[in-house]
Amino acid sequence: MSQENVPAQPPTGVGLDGLRTAAAGCTACELWEGTTQTVFGEGPETARIVLVGEQPGDQEDRTGEPFVGPAGRLLDKALTDAGIDRRDAYVTNAVKHFRFTQKGKRRIHQTPGPEHLRACRPWLEAEFAVLQPEVVVCLGATAAKALIAPSFRITKDRGQLLPWTAPGATGEPADDEEDAPHQTWMLATMHPSAILRTPDEARDAAYDALVADLRVVAHALA
């Protein structure tokens, strides 16, 4: 096991492909030791929206791609229902390795700790620096607490657009509005996996609430 978790040190000026390649060898925290691979973000560098989840799950760890399991399929459906073009979106996670506990042959999800978020944050900041998105969507409490505030509560403050300065943002507003950096907005909503865990009788309402939050994002991108 690693003796301590230290922040990762991503390279600069290499674009998303270069970051993905570098992240494949990341050992900034101990989670890499028990996983299949690093699961980096995916999507175009021109993406206007970045969706940030907590961490990859079992299927994502095995495939090396984010949001490919049941939660990913639900997210894709919600984006479509909200009127957001999936090609405008980049999906990633606050932590790039799967944290789990082993129970027999099953690997059970375990929430990453603050030390894992700190170790992995430079990768997320590097993604933001390349993408410079218009809207960042925090999927679930872990991402919201990491990017907005530790006191943030999804149940209280979800679905609200908040002005936000992305890590890695550079430049000062110019007198000419066309040359001024665009405002980045932040919005938090439920993680799709939480909706899948919602009891049957309440799941449709939870899904509708996710779509309603994403429609706020769609309106901001219009």
Side-chain angles (χ1 to χ4, degrees), residues 27-40:
T27 58
C29 75
E30 84 283 359
L31 295 183
W32 71 274
E33 294 181 356
T35 55
T36 307
Q37 58 199 312
T38 302
V39 182
F40 205 71

Side-chain angles (χ1 to χ4, degrees), residues 87-192:
R87 294 171 297 181
D88 278 338
Y90 180 92
V91 293
T92 191
N93 286 293
V95 172
K96 313 300 190 197
H97 284 109
F98 179 33
R99 189 185 190 199
F100 63 92
T101 56
Q102 193 82 39
K103 291 189 177 181
K105 294 184 178 180
R106 297 182 63 202
R107 301 191 299 174
I108 307 300
H109 165 274
Q110 188 177 10
T111 302
E115 69 277 15
H116 305 121
L117 291 166
R118 285 193 298 270
C120 214
R121 185 177 174 89
W123 292 115
L124 192 57
E125 293 180 352
E127 289 173 292
F128 285 138
V130 172
L131 293 160
Q132 299 188 29
E134 295 175 42
V135 182
V136 176
V137 177
C138 294
L139 298 170
T142 298
K145 290 178 179 180
L147 291 177
I148 301 175
S151 60
F152 191 90
R153 296 292 179 267
I154 290 287
T155 53
K156 180 181 177 182
D157 299 313
R158 61 176 294 177
Q160 300 180 32
L161 277 176
L162 307 170
W164 186 70
T165 300
T170 57
E172 296 295 330
D175 292 336
D176 186 345
E177 291 185 1
E178 293 184 357
D179 293 331
H182 63 256
Q183 173 66 61
T184 301
W185 297 93
M186 172 77 73
L187 179 142
T189 189
M190 288 183 67
H191 196 289

